[in-house]
mmCIF file of all heavy atoms in Angstrom:
data_model
loop_
_atom_site.group_PDB
_atom_site.id
_atom_site.type_symbol
_atom_site.label_atom_id
_atom_site.label_comp_id
_atom_site.label_asym_id
_atom_site.label_seq_id
_atom_site.Cartn_x
_atom_site.Cartn_y
_atom_site.Cartn_z
ATOM 1 N N LEU A 185 -159.673 -99.927 25.384
ATOM 2 C CA LEU A 185 -160.493 -100.328 26.540
ATOM 3 C C LEU A 185 -160.686 -99.081 27.395
ATOM 4 O O LEU A 185 -159.818 -98.215 27.421
ATOM 5 C CB LEU A 185 -159.742 -101.375 27.376
ATOM 6 C CG LEU A 185 -159.192 -102.598 26.642
ATOM 7 C CD1 LEU A 185 -158.231 -103.369 27.548
ATOM 8 C CD2 LEU A 185 -160.351 -103.489 26.202
ATOM 9 N N ASP A 186 -161.784 -99.012 28.129
ATOM 10 C CA ASP A 186 -161.972 -97.879 29.038
ATOM 11 C C ASP A 186 -160.875 -97.891 30.103
ATOM 12 O O ASP A 186 -160.516 -98.949 30.619
ATOM 13 C CB ASP A 186 -163.351 -97.941 29.700
ATOM 14 C CG ASP A 186 -164.440 -97.402 28.769
ATOM 15 O OD1 ASP A 186 -164.138 -96.513 27.950
ATOM 16 O OD2 ASP A 186 -165.583 -97.884 28.875
ATOM 17 N N GLY A 187 -160.376 -96.697 30.426
ATOM 18 C CA GLY A 187 -159.246 -96.583 31.341
ATOM 19 C C GLY A 187 -159.601 -96.009 32.692
ATOM 20 O O GLY A 187 -160.685 -96.283 33.222
ATOM 21 N N GLY A 188 -158.697 -95.189 33.221
ATOM 22 C CA GLY A 188 -158.720 -94.851 34.638
ATOM 23 C C GLY A 188 -159.242 -93.492 35.047
ATOM 24 O O GLY A 188 -159.253 -93.183 36.233
ATOM 25 N N TYR A 189 -159.685 -92.661 34.102
ATOM 26 C CA TYR A 189 -160.239 -91.374 34.524
ATOM 27 C C TYR A 189 -161.705 -91.575 34.905
ATOM 28 O O TYR A 189 -162.627 -91.015 34.305
ATOM 29 C CB TYR A 189 -160.123 -90.322 33.419
ATOM 30 C CG TYR A 189 -158.702 -89.979 33.004
ATOM 31 C CD1 TYR A 189 -158.429 -89.393 31.777
ATOM 32 C CD2 TYR A 189 -157.634 -90.232 33.858
ATOM 33 C CE1 TYR A 189 -157.130 -89.076 31.401
ATOM 34 C CE2 TYR A 189 -156.327 -89.929 33.495
ATOM 35 C CZ TYR A 189 -156.091 -89.341 32.262
ATOM 36 O OH TYR A 189 -154.806 -89.030 31.893
ATOM 37 N N ALA A 190 -161.895 -92.425 35.920
ATOM 38 C CA ALA A 190 -163.235 -92.806 36.358
ATOM 39 C C ALA A 190 -163.127 -93.380 37.765
ATOM 40 O O ALA A 190 -162.024 -93.659 38.243
ATOM 41 C CB ALA A 190 -163.822 -93.857 35.411
ATOM 42 N N GLN A 191 -164.262 -93.587 38.408
ATOM 43 C CA GLN A 191 -164.207 -94.157 39.763
ATOM 44 C C GLN A 191 -163.850 -95.639 39.745
ATOM 45 O O GLN A 191 -163.267 -96.150 40.686
ATOM 46 C CB GLN A 191 -165.550 -93.933 40.461
ATOM 47 C CG GLN A 191 -165.763 -92.472 40.840
ATOM 48 C CD GLN A 191 -167.095 -92.253 41.506
ATOM 49 O OE1 GLN A 191 -168.137 -92.458 40.897
ATOM 50 N NE2 GLN A 191 -167.077 -91.835 42.748
ATOM 51 N N TYR A 192 -164.217 -96.317 38.654
ATOM 52 C CA TYR A 192 -163.950 -97.760 38.566
ATOM 53 C C TYR A 192 -163.444 -98.118 37.174
ATOM 54 O O TYR A 192 -163.776 -97.463 36.175
ATOM 55 C CB TYR A 192 -165.224 -98.580 38.817
ATOM 56 C CG TYR A 192 -165.751 -98.453 40.207
ATOM 57 C CD1 TYR A 192 -166.760 -97.536 40.501
ATOM 58 C CD2 TYR A 192 -165.235 -99.232 41.242
ATOM 59 C CE1 TYR A 192 -167.240 -97.391 41.795
ATOM 60 C CE2 TYR A 192 -165.708 -99.105 42.540
ATOM 61 C CZ TYR A 192 -166.711 -98.184 42.807
ATOM 62 O OH TYR A 192 -167.176 -98.048 44.082
ATOM 63 N N THR A 193 -162.674 -99.203 37.113
ATOM 64 C CA THR A 193 -162.305 -99.767 35.824
ATOM 65 C C THR A 193 -162.178 -101.275 35.981
ATOM 66 O O THR A 193 -161.888 -101.763 37.077
ATOM 67 C CB THR A 193 -161.003 -99.127 35.276
ATOM 68 O OG1 THR A 193 -160.842 -99.484 33.915
ATOM 69 C CG2 THR A 193 -159.779 -99.592 36.055
ATOM 70 N N ALA A 194 -162.407 -102.014 34.898
ATOM 71 C CA ALA A 194 -162.264 -103.470 34.939
ATOM 72 C C ALA A 194 -161.116 -103.871 34.023
ATOM 73 O O ALA A 194 -160.878 -103.232 32.998
ATOM 74 C CB ALA A 194 -163.562 -104.140 34.487
ATOM 75 N N ILE A 195 -160.409 -104.943 34.407
ATOM 76 C CA ILE A 195 -159.235 -105.373 33.640
ATOM 77 C C ILE A 195 -159.054 -106.875 33.822
ATOM 78 O O ILE A 195 -159.386 -107.411 34.886
ATOM 79 C CB ILE A 195 -157.962 -104.618 34.133
ATOM 80 C CG1 ILE A 195 -156.700 -104.974 33.335
ATOM 81 C CG2 ILE A 195 -157.689 -104.878 35.602
ATOM 82 C CD1 ILE A 195 -156.477 -104.162 32.112
ATOM 83 N N ARG A 196 -158.538 -107.570 32.785
ATOM 84 C CA ARG A 196 -158.163 -108.978 32.959
ATOM 85 C C ARG A 196 -157.132 -109.066 34.077
ATOM 86 O O ARG A 196 -156.155 -108.316 34.075
ATOM 87 C CB ARG A 196 -157.582 -109.537 31.663
ATOM 88 C CG ARG A 196 -158.627 -109.817 30.594
ATOM 89 C CD ARG A 196 -158.002 -110.099 29.246
ATOM 90 N NE ARG A 196 -157.113 -111.245 29.262
ATOM 91 C CZ ARG A 196 -156.333 -111.608 28.234
ATOM 92 N NH1 ARG A 196 -156.348 -110.900 27.110
ATOM 93 N NH2 ARG A 196 -155.557 -112.664 28.322
ATOM 94 N N GLU A 197 -157.321 -109.983 35.011
ATOM 95 C CA GLU A 197 -156.480 -109.969 36.226
ATOM 96 C C GLU A 197 -154.998 -110.103 35.905
ATOM 97 O O GLU A 197 -154.158 -109.537 36.607
ATOM 98 C CB GLU A 197 -156.919 -111.074 37.200
ATOM 99 C CG GLU A 197 -156.771 -112.480 36.635
ATOM 100 C CD GLU A 197 -157.031 -113.546 37.690
ATOM 101 O OE1 GLU A 197 -157.229 -113.203 38.862
ATOM 102 O OE2 GLU A 197 -157.028 -114.743 37.307
ATOM 103 N N GLU A 198 -154.661 -110.849 34.850
ATOM 104 C CA GLU A 198 -153.224 -111.027 34.571
ATOM 105 C C GLU A 198 -152.586 -109.779 33.973
ATOM 106 O O GLU A 198 -151.382 -109.748 33.742
ATOM 107 C CB GLU A 198 -152.979 -112.271 33.709
ATOM 108 C CG GLU A 198 -153.491 -112.201 32.291
ATOM 109 C CD GLU A 198 -154.888 -112.801 32.110
ATOM 110 O OE1 GLU A 198 -155.769 -112.563 32.970
ATOM 111 O OE2 GLU A 198 -155.095 -113.484 31.091
ATOM 112 N N PHE A 199 -153.377 -108.732 33.731
ATOM 113 C CA PHE A 199 -152.834 -107.462 33.251
ATOM 114 C C PHE A 199 -152.835 -106.390 34.353
ATOM 115 O O PHE A 199 -152.754 -105.201 34.076
ATOM 116 C CB PHE A 199 -153.583 -106.992 32.003
ATOM 117 C CG PHE A 199 -153.275 -107.859 30.801
ATOM 118 C CD1 PHE A 199 -153.956 -109.058 30.582
ATOM 119 C CD2 PHE A 199 -152.263 -107.495 29.917
ATOM 120 C CE1 PHE A 199 -153.650 -109.873 29.493
ATOM 121 C CE2 PHE A 199 -151.946 -108.307 28.829
ATOM 122 C CZ PHE A 199 -152.641 -109.495 28.619
ATOM 123 N N ALA A 200 -152.948 -106.852 35.608
ATOM 124 C CA ALA A 200 -152.823 -105.936 36.753
ATOM 125 C C ALA A 200 -151.628 -106.389 37.589
ATOM 126 O O ALA A 200 -151.268 -107.567 37.583
ATOM 127 C CB ALA A 200 -154.100 -105.954 37.593
ATOM 128 N N TYR A 201 -150.994 -105.444 38.280
ATOM 129 C CA TYR A 201 -149.751 -105.711 39.014
ATOM 130 C C TYR A 201 -149.911 -105.309 40.471
ATOM 131 O O TYR A 201 -150.528 -104.283 40.761
ATOM 132 C CB TYR A 201 -148.588 -104.897 38.425
ATOM 133 C CG TYR A 201 -148.579 -104.893 36.917
ATOM 134 C CD1 TYR A 201 -149.329 -103.960 36.213
ATOM 135 C CD2 TYR A 201 -147.873 -105.862 36.212
ATOM 136 C CE1 TYR A 201 -149.360 -103.974 34.825
ATOM 137 C CE2 TYR A 201 -147.898 -105.878 34.823
ATOM 138 C CZ TYR A 201 -148.646 -104.935 34.137
ATOM 139 O OH TYR A 201 -148.691 -104.956 32.772
ATOM 140 N N ALA A 202 -149.293 -106.081 41.362
ATOM 141 C CA ALA A 202 -149.211 -105.654 42.759
ATOM 142 C C ALA A 202 -148.284 -104.445 42.828
ATOM 143 O O ALA A 202 -147.289 -104.384 42.119
ATOM 144 C CB ALA A 202 -148.664 -106.793 43.605
ATOM 145 N N ILE A 203 -148.634 -103.480 43.661
ATOM 146 C CA ILE A 203 -147.814 -102.264 43.804
ATOM 147 C C ILE A 203 -146.951 -102.390 45.060
ATOM 148 O O ILE A 203 -147.480 -102.650 46.145
ATOM 149 C CB ILE A 203 -148.726 -101.018 43.950
ATOM 150 C CG1 ILE A 203 -149.602 -100.845 42.702
ATOM 151 C CG2 ILE A 203 -147.900 -99.764 44.221
ATOM 152 C CD1 ILE A 203 -148.876 -100.357 41.482
ATOM 153 N N PRO A 204 -145.625 -102.202 44.930
ATOM 154 C CA PRO A 204 -144.765 -102.298 46.116
ATOM 155 C C PRO A 204 -145.168 -101.286 47.182
ATOM 156 O O PRO A 204 -145.522 -100.147 46.882
ATOM 157 C CB PRO A 204 -143.363 -101.984 45.568
ATOM 158 C CG PRO A 204 -143.444 -102.260 44.097
ATOM 159 C CD PRO A 204 -144.859 -101.971 43.695
ATOM 160 N N GLU A 205 -145.078 -101.734 48.453
ATOM 161 C CA GLU A 205 -145.473 -100.942 49.631
ATOM 162 C C GLU A 205 -144.845 -99.554 49.677
ATOM 163 O O GLU A 205 -145.455 -98.597 50.146
ATOM 164 C CB GLU A 205 -145.012 -101.679 50.910
ATOM 165 C CG GLU A 205 -145.818 -102.902 51.257
ATOM 166 C CD GLU A 205 -147.217 -102.535 51.699
ATOM 167 O OE1 GLU A 205 -147.360 -101.483 52.360
ATOM 168 O OE2 GLU A 205 -148.160 -103.279 51.372
ATOM 169 N N VAL A 206 -143.596 -99.460 49.211
ATOM 170 C CA VAL A 206 -142.807 -98.244 49.404
ATOM 171 C C VAL A 206 -143.417 -97.027 48.689
ATOM 172 O O VAL A 206 -143.142 -95.889 49.050
ATOM 173 C CB VAL A 206 -141.339 -98.490 48.974
ATOM 174 C CG1 VAL A 206 -141.250 -98.916 47.526
ATOM 175 C CG2 VAL A 206 -140.458 -97.303 49.213
ATOM 176 N N PHE A 207 -144.282 -97.265 47.714
ATOM 177 C CA PHE A 207 -144.862 -96.151 46.957
ATOM 178 C C PHE A 207 -146.270 -95.815 47.428
ATOM 179 O O PHE A 207 -147.084 -96.714 47.652
ATOM 180 C CB PHE A 207 -144.927 -96.490 45.467
ATOM 181 C CG PHE A 207 -143.577 -96.753 44.856
ATOM 182 C CD1 PHE A 207 -143.267 -98.008 44.351
ATOM 183 C CD2 PHE A 207 -142.627 -95.749 44.805
ATOM 184 C CE1 PHE A 207 -142.012 -98.263 43.802
ATOM 185 C CE2 PHE A 207 -141.377 -95.990 44.257
ATOM 186 C CZ PHE A 207 -141.069 -97.250 43.756
ATOM 187 N N SER A 208 -146.565 -94.517 47.524
ATOM 188 C CA SER A 208 -147.953 -94.090 47.714
ATOM 189 C C SER A 208 -148.693 -94.292 46.387
ATOM 190 O O SER A 208 -148.063 -94.503 45.336
ATOM 191 C CB SER A 208 -148.005 -92.616 48.124
ATOM 192 O OG SER A 208 -147.605 -91.812 47.017
ATOM 193 N N ASP A 209 -149.999 -94.181 46.406
ATOM 194 C CA ASP A 209 -150.784 -94.327 45.173
ATOM 195 C C ASP A 209 -150.324 -93.307 44.127
ATOM 196 O O ASP A 209 -150.157 -93.620 42.950
ATOM 197 C CB ASP A 209 -152.279 -94.118 45.437
ATOM 198 C CG ASP A 209 -152.873 -95.229 46.310
ATOM 199 O OD1 ASP A 209 -152.102 -96.123 46.743
ATOM 200 O OD2 ASP A 209 -154.092 -95.199 46.558
ATOM 201 N N LEU A 210 -150.137 -92.064 44.575
ATOM 202 C CA LEU A 210 -149.752 -90.999 43.641
ATOM 203 C C LEU A 210 -148.364 -91.224 43.069
ATOM 204 O O LEU A 210 -148.109 -90.944 41.898
ATOM 205 C CB LEU A 210 -149.806 -89.633 44.340
ATOM 206 C CG LEU A 210 -151.202 -89.057 44.558
ATOM 207 C CD1 LEU A 210 -151.107 -87.768 45.377
ATOM 208 C CD2 LEU A 210 -151.900 -88.779 43.229
ATOM 209 N N GLU A 211 -147.451 -91.733 43.901
ATOM 210 C CA GLU A 211 -146.096 -92.003 43.403
ATOM 211 C C GLU A 211 -146.101 -93.168 42.420
ATOM 212 O O GLU A 211 -145.339 -93.189 41.456
ATOM 213 C CB GLU A 211 -145.161 -92.354 44.569
ATOM 214 C CG GLU A 211 -144.780 -91.177 45.432
ATOM 215 C CD GLU A 211 -144.043 -91.620 46.693
ATOM 216 O OE1 GLU A 211 -144.338 -92.706 47.240
ATOM 217 O OE2 GLU A 211 -143.174 -90.863 47.134
#
Side-chain angles (χ1 to χ4, degrees):
L185 308 168
D186 279 330
Y189 298 159
Q191 288 179 296
Y192 294 96
T193 193
I195 182 87
R196 285 168 60 187
E197 62 172 355
E198 68 266 42
F199 290 84
Y201 317 86
I203 299 287
E205 287 291 324
V206 59
F207 299 116
S208 69
D209 293 3
L210 284 175
E211 287 171 326

